[in-house]
Amino acid sequence: MAHNQNKNSINLLQKNWHIDPLIHSFMLGQINEIQDHKIKINKVIFHIPFLTQFKKFVLWKCFWPDCNNCCDRQGRLPLTSKDIISISKKNQYNKTSDFIRNETLITTWDEQGPHIQNVMMTTVNLKRKLTETPYDDGKHMSCRFLDKKGYCTLHPVRPGVCHLYPFSVWLENKNNVIDVHSTFQLTGDCPGFYTSRKIHPIKNILNQYSDIIYNYCMDSNRTSRQNFSSILLN
Ligand code: SF4
Ligand code: SF4
């Protein structure tokens, strides 16, 4: 299922972007020898795929403003409690409860990934179109906040999850010390992935994202404690 979705996404992406054939095969799960290269930057442990057979890392850079595919093919926008407050203010609500009622949906969905334990998440999600229903959850659609020039009209308070893309995050508890981990979401929706023999071209980006990722994890944790979201082991 996920494989088919990735395939469809990459086919769409290839209409407008050149995709490195190695990246294409990697996203479709056709490369077997992959090493998980861990690199700790500030408080975040990044997992960068290394294609052993080809001696190449999978790296990423963003093509915005030439690209806005992640906003044009949005699947879900889970909000942290900080997002809920800032976006409701930006959208002129006096009461957060009115914003939640009018502009968000609560959905439950399975979170899966190579590094993530299979968990059931319940989150408050920003509606990507005002007529969105829970049946649209996970379906790609253009976000209503994307303007014609490719800018986000919610900026600078766009949801934390938008800042994060295309990284995914998870927490690991080792001897009561919580580590923040991150890797790429490889769904075939972002043309920014490329391969490189060296890892250094991405170091500045990881440095910049380590703060964004760490702060997002802390906001997400707070959101669960405040009962705006929940995580259940499947
Ligand atoms: S993150 Fe990827 S999909 Fe989104 S704007 Fe950047 S290059 Fe495009
Ligand atoms: S809220 Fe903004 S950044 Fe997030 S998907 Fe919509 S347009 Fe893109």
Side-chain angles (χ1 to χ4, degrees):
M1 177 75 176
H3 175 271
N4 280 345
Q5 265 181 15
N6 285 7
K7 200 172 174 182
N8 292 342
S9 299
I10 295 174
N11 286 344
L12 279 173
L13 205 59
Q14 279 184 320
K15 289 186 179 170
N16 296 316
W17 298 93
H18 168 74
I19 307 296
D20 176 338
L22 261 185
I23 291 292
H24 187 276
S25 305
F26 175 60
M27 290 214 186
L28 293 183
Q30 294 164 346
I31 293 182
N32 297 323
E33 293 174 36
I34 304 162
Q35 215 175 57
D36 178 21
H37 182 86
K38 290 184 201 150
I39 170 168
K40 184 159 186 183
I41 300 206
N42 301 323
K43 293 177 186 166
V44 177
I45 300 164
F46 288 93
H47 296 247
I48 304 296
F50 180 69
L51 311 181
T52 324
Q53 197 184 344
F54 303 95
K55 296 188 174 54
K56 283 186 159 184
F57 292 97
V58 173
L59 305 184
W60 167 84
K61 64 179 177 219
C62 185
F63 291 133
W64 189 88
D66 293 328
C67 171
N68 47 52
N69 210 46
C70 46
C71 303
D72 207 24
R73 284 178 48 75
Q74 242 312 318
R76 178 186 299 116
L77 289 172
L79 299 177
T80 64
S81 46
K82 189 175 164 204
D83 293 329
I84 291 173
I85 291 166
S86 51
I87 299 172
S88 74
K89 272 191 194 149
K90 166 101 178 164
N91 286 3
Q92 320 275 322
Y93 283 89
N94 292 325
K95 287 193 205 158
T96 310
S97 54
D98 288 340
F99 166 72
I100 291 177
R101 188 172 53 250
N102 293 341
E103 304 219 20
T104 72
L105 284 171
I106 297 171
T107 62
T108 296
W109 42 283
D110 282 335
E111 172 81 324
Q112 294 172 4
H115 300 279
I116 299 171
Q117 200 173 358
N118 193 356
V119 290
M120 201 162 74
M121 307 277 299
T122 299
T123 51
V124 176
N125 304 330
L126 185 62
K127 286 181 182 172
R128 294 155 296 156
K129 59 176 180 181
L130 280 174
T131 53
E132 186 175 338
T133 74
Y135 298 106
D136 296 316
D137 187 55
K139 289 184 196 158
H140 290 121
M141 65 177 73
S142 192
C143 176
R144 64 190 159 114
F145 298 106
L146 176 67
D147 74 12
K148 287 198 169 66
K149 290 183 182 159
Y151 288 78
C152 172
T153 57
L154 280 183
H155 191 74
V157 297
R158 64 189 166 139
V161 76
C162 301
H163 280 262
L164 214 65
Y165 188 84
F167 290 92
S168 64
V169 296
W170 71 98
L171 300 178
E172 281 180 19
N173 183 347
K174 271 199 192 144
N175 305 322
N176 290 332
V177 177
I178 300 286
D179 283 329
V180 177
H181 293 257
S182 181
T183 193
F184 298 129
Q185 293 182 46
L186 296 159
T187 56
D189 293 306
C190 173
F193 292 101
Y194 65 100
T195 55
S196 163
R197 291 206 179 267
K198 307 275 182 203
I199 199 168
H200 70 79
I202 201 172
K203 287 232 172 123
N204 279 345
I205 294 175
L206 297 185
N207 203 26
Q208 178 198 342
Y209 270 77
S210 60
D211 282 346
I212 295 170
I213 287 168
Y214 185 82
N215 292 338
Y216 178 80
C217 279
M218 297 307 112
D219 288 344
S220 253
N221 243 351
R222 204 171 307 116
T223 306
S224 300
R225 288 201 306 275
Q226 292 169 339
N227 288 328
F228 280 112
S229 70
S230 72
I231 303 174
L232 282 176
L233 294 182
N234 267 337

